Amino acid sequence: MDKNYMKLEFLSRSNNESFARVVVAAFASQLDPTLEELSDIKTAVSEAVTNSIIHGYEFGEGIVTLESLIENNYIEIKVTDKGKGIGDIEQAMEPFYTSKPDLERSGMGFTVMETFMDELKVESTKEVGTTVIMKKKINRSVDKE
């Protein structure tokens, strides 16, 4: 398989988080992932989109952009917001760190993304926005090709 790409934009509403999960799962299905791989991808997307909604756009609605690229047996997923940005990415990626303890947030979003995906990169600028880039290899067996 060569490359395939998709891009989706939606409002930063919590009910759109499940929509984003389903869209990426449907797109990833062309790689013939296992149910576990598909679940991992959906969980990571859910965390990234939820972060954009709760943290990026905490003071109002905005647009969340979801992009996905399939190349060979890899899927790359980008979740971008034009929200408030992250001041200290390293601190934000620490397990259990949360900037919203009053919302009973666990502070495990980035840890979950790192656990379920092979690569995680976070780019952010204060008052400009944040992009989360996740990559996962789908381990297809030779007889599936």
Side-chain angles (χ1 to χ4, degrees):
M1 174 181 292
D2 46 324
K3 293 182 185 181
N4 197 359
Y5 171 79
M6 73 95 182
K7 181 177 181 178
L8 174 71
E9 293 182 337
F10 53 90
L11 277 177
S12 61
R13 294 183 178 163
S14 59
N15 56 350
N16 284 335
E17 173 269 323
S18 58
F19 172 62
R21 285 170 54 106
V22 171
V23 168
V24 172
F27 187 71
S29 67
Q30 63 195 289
L31 287 174
D32 197 19
T34 64
L35 288 176
E36 183 181 1
E37 288 168 332
L38 209 50
S39 177
D40 291 352
I41 290 166
K42 287 164 64 176
T43 300
V45 167
S46 178
E47 292 294 336
V49 169
T50 298
N51 275 358
S52 288
I53 294 167
I54 290 176
H55 299 289
Y57 295 117
E58 68 178 338
F59 300 118
E61 285 185 348
I63 298 293
V64 177
T65 304
L66 175 67
E67 296 174 87
S68 191
L69 172 69
I70 288 176
E71 189 171 5
N72 300 318
N73 57 334
Y74 283 91
I75 184 164
E76 180 180 276
I77 301 155
K78 284 186 189 178
V79 177
T80 304
D81 65 65
K82 301 289 184 211
K84 70 174 194 173
I86 301 170
D88 186 339
I89 294 172
E90 204 172 300
Q91 181 186 41
M93 292 181 76
E94 283 288 318
F96 304 111
Y97 172 80
T98 179
S99 62
K100 302 239 179 270
D102 52 315
L103 294 182
E104 295 182 20
R105 306 297 303 158
S106 69
M108 294 298 288
F110 286 127
T111 303
V112 168
M113 289 178 235
E114 279 183 310
T115 302
F116 289 113
M117 301 298 280
D118 296 326
E119 293 177 35
L120 172 67
K121 186 175 171 187
V122 180
E123 300 169 346
S124 190
T125 304
K126 289 289 272 177
E127 310 309 321
V128 175
T130 301
T131 299
V132 173
I133 304 161
M134 303 175 285
K135 205 169 180 183
K136 185 167 187 73
K137 181 179 183 181
I138 302 302
N139 296 306
R140 297 185 297 184
S141 61
V142 176
D143 60 334
K144 287 184 185 177
E145 306 239 342

